Every structure is written in structure tokens, then in C-alpha cells.
Amino acid sequence: MTSLPAAVMATATTLPLGLLPSKTLTLSPLPSARRSLSIAAEEPAVPEPVEAQLAAAGAGKDADIFAVVMIGSRQYIVMPGRYIYTQRLKGANVNDQIILNKVLLVSTREKAYIGMPVVTNAAVHAVVEEQGRDDKVIVFKYKKKKKYQRKLGHRQPNTRLRITGISGYEEYPADPILDPAAA
């Protein structure tokens, strides 16, 4: 078994594994007993600020609002202009305009409208873009030593909705959002 150079050992022992910078390992073409290890460190990438990411995505004035809606038994965070995949909506056809009225929360930059349990008169407007199916999930059953195995495939049906707007929440009592810079 070959040992690592002392500089590499010191680096490996002083930094926790999750905090090590990304490295490229290179082994020299020497015999296995005298193999040396060289490490070239790369600079970690710094992510862009959220504001820059939203500006690059083309978010307009409607990007300042979002809502939490309940469709079936699941809750979704929706924003105007974005799309979501939900469980299959049976009565909906492609290009149908639908209104989601189980709105649990609406938030703008200044105020939050929290429903108890729903925000009255609030509605999320959406357009059905696609009725499709998820990727195939393989269900494999196996019992060892019994010569029993079954393989089934399943594709869950889903609906893709494009969110066009959020309206009707203005009359509901709002909670102000405190600015952390002013506090």
C-alpha cells in the first residue's frame, strides 16, 4: 500500500470532506510502489444573485406575486407565466381556460394574504397546455428461492398548466411583510 505525500495528508485531515474544493487527481506513470499523486485545485463557482437570475429569466412585474393553490390533495406554489405539472384533470382539454379557486395563500412584495383555510374571492387563472403521462416507473417484485418475479410498468397521467394570472385577493385582510433592513 502506497502512502500519500505529507502535504496531501495535511490537507485531507484538516478540512472536512464536504468543504474540500473540487480537485483533479493525476497519477504519474511510475511503478505502483513509487507512484506519486498530484492534485490541481479549481476555484468553486459562485452562483448568481437571485435578482440576476430572475432578470435573465425574463420575469416582469408579475414576478412579484405568488400563490399556494390546492389541486386535488396536493399543494402547489404558482407564479404567473410559469407552468406546473399536476395530477390528471379529467374534464380539461388542451387550450381550456380553468380557474383554481382553492387559494391558500397569496403573497406580494409588501403584503401576505393568508387564508383560513382559503383566501376568499382569490382565483388563479390557468390554461391547459398538455395532457400527458409521466416517465415509466418499473415495479419489480421478487421472492428469493421461490422462482417468483414480476415486472410491471406504470405511467401516471398528468396535466401541464400554464399560470396566466392571480386575481381577487385584494379585498382579503392582509398581513404586512416586515422589511429586515428597516428592523
Side-chain angles (χ1 to χ4, degrees), residues 105-108 110-114 173-177:
L105 177 137
V106 177
S107 179
T108 62
E110 296 83 28
K111 297 179 181 178
Y113 303 88
I114 302 170
D175 296 331
I177 296 177

Side-chain angles (χ1 to χ4, degrees), residues 95-115:
N95 294 328
D96 280 355
Q97 302 273 340
I98 62 171
I99 297 174
L100 307 171
N101 55 8
K102 275 193 169 180
V103 180
L104 306 176
L105 177 137
V106 177
S107 179
T108 62
R109 283 200 183 262
E110 296 83 28
K111 297 179 181 178
Y113 303 88
I114 302 170

